[in-house]
Every structure is written in C-alpha cells, then in structure tokens.
Amino acid sequence: AAPLLLLDGFAGKANLRVLDACAAPGGKTAHLLEIAGQSGQMLDLTAVELDAKRAERIGENLQRLQLTGAKVEIADALLFAENAAAAGQQFDAVLLDAPCSASGIVRRHPDVRWLRRETDVGQLARLQAQLLRATWALLPVGGRLLYCVCSVFKAEGQKGVTAFLERNKNAALLPSPGHL
C-alpha cells in the first residue's frame, strides 16, 4: 500500500526519480517497480540500505521477481540524503520506512519485546526526525515524502510527524485512506 500512496498523483510524469530509503528487504522497492511497469511509467529508483547483507537481499528479491531498474546503494540513509542534498540531487518522491522500535509487529516478531530497551524509542525518534529532515531536503516543490514506521508509540509516529510539520510550514499532511 505504501508504494501506491507514494506514486498517487504522479501518473504521466516522465522519468520519475524515487528514493527508497532504508529499503531492505526490498518489498516496497519491488512494488514500486511493479506499479511503474504496469503503468508504463519510467522510474529512476534508488534503494538505499545500510547493511550490506540486507542490501544483497534486495538485489536477490528483485532478481527473483525479474524486476530491473533499481540502483541499490549500500549506505547510511541519513548520510546518503545529506550528501545528495549537498550535491544538489533531487527526487520527486521519497519513501522513508524509518528504523523504529517495531512495536507494531510484535505478533509477527515476538522477540522484539526482549530486543528493545526503554531508551530505544527516544533514540529512534531522534533518528527518525533526522531522516525526515534530510530526505525532505531532497524534494522539489510538489515532491512527496511518505514516512512509515511499524511502531505503536506516538513518539515514533504522530508526535514525530506533528513536530516535522511545525518545523516545515511548506509541508502538508495528505490523507492516507485505510492507514493509521
């Protein structure tokens, strides 16, 4: 659903530049390519992943699905975005599936409860705010940033979005029907 929300409104735009930050394992990257392929849209897609093994998995998944057209970069998404902005690079759309506490997927991954510390939410919320700031700087006027987390904690979701919108008066929250 995230790729559909991200690409909504870009139909017919030629050579759409998209950044999938924090991209592993590549499901959203693949879905973006599938949507573009079905609509005949040319997509210049960059998928960024910090962990080399997880980045390799993105490539394997794309190959298995016979999808081409994505550049997979092994990099810290924050540094990638800051360097890209400094170089004047822009993307029409950014999908930021930010690192989070994963509290919203405990049913699928029950070990999350034992892998997290009380201080993790605050640290992750600060990282998410940095990632939002850095990826926002990559968008031209009319660009779109889709921020995703799988956390139930407001510090990682609604509070972070509210704080971002307060700091960025040129940003507008769009509806995301059927989503939290």
Side-chain angles (χ1 to χ4, degrees):
L4 291 170
L5 283 171
L6 184 68
L7 297 180
D8 185 38
F10 284 115
K13 180 166 174 41
N15 299 322
L16 187 66
R17 293 199 69 219
V18 177
L19 172 63
D20 184 358
C22 311
K28 292 178 189 76
T29 303
H31 197 188
L32 286 163
L33 290 170
E34 288 175 337
I35 293 167
Q38 290 168 359
S39 68
Q41 189 170 37
M42 292 300 297
L43 199 65
D44 179 2
L45 177 60
T46 302
V48 175
E49 175 54 43
L50 174 64
D51 183 272
K53 286 281 188 204
R54 290 173 52 88
E56 185 178 317
R57 191 166 163 204
I58 295 169
E60 290 168 355
N61 284 332
L62 294 177
Q63 186 175 17
R64 178 179 50 81
L65 295 168
Q66 299 178 346
L67 294 169
T68 59
K71 294 181 293 270
V72 179
E73 299 272 343
I74 301 169
D76 179 302
L78 181 58
L79 293 176
F80 177 90
E82 290 173 344
N83 291 335
Q89 284 186 314
Q90 289 193 316
F91 292 86
D92 299 297
V94 175
L95 173 56
L96 173 57
D97 191 351
C100 70
S101 64
S103 59
I105 58 169
V106 169
R107 191 171 84 191
R108 276 191 315 196
H109 300 283
D111 56 331
V112 164
R113 287 183 235 179
W114 292 277
L115 296 174
R116 297 288 178 235
R117 295 179 306 265
E118 193 173 321
T119 58
D120 288 349
V121 172
Q123 290 172 344
L124 288 163
R126 283 187 291 282
L127 175 59
Q128 293 156 6
Q130 291 174 316
L131 284 164
L132 276 167
R133 176 192 44 77
T135 55
W136 180 252
L138 297 174
L139 295 170
V141 172
R144 178 170 290 172
L145 171 69
L146 180 61
Y147 171 69
C148 310
V149 290
C150 56
S151 173
V152 297
F153 298 120
K154 288 186 180 189
E156 293 183 281
Q158 189 57 49
K159 283 185 181 178
V161 170
T162 300
F164 174 79
L165 291 170
E166 287 172 0
R167 285 189 304 275
N168 297 281
K169 298 299 182 190
N170 57 345
L173 185 62
L174 299 175
S176 53
H179 300 84
L180 298 177

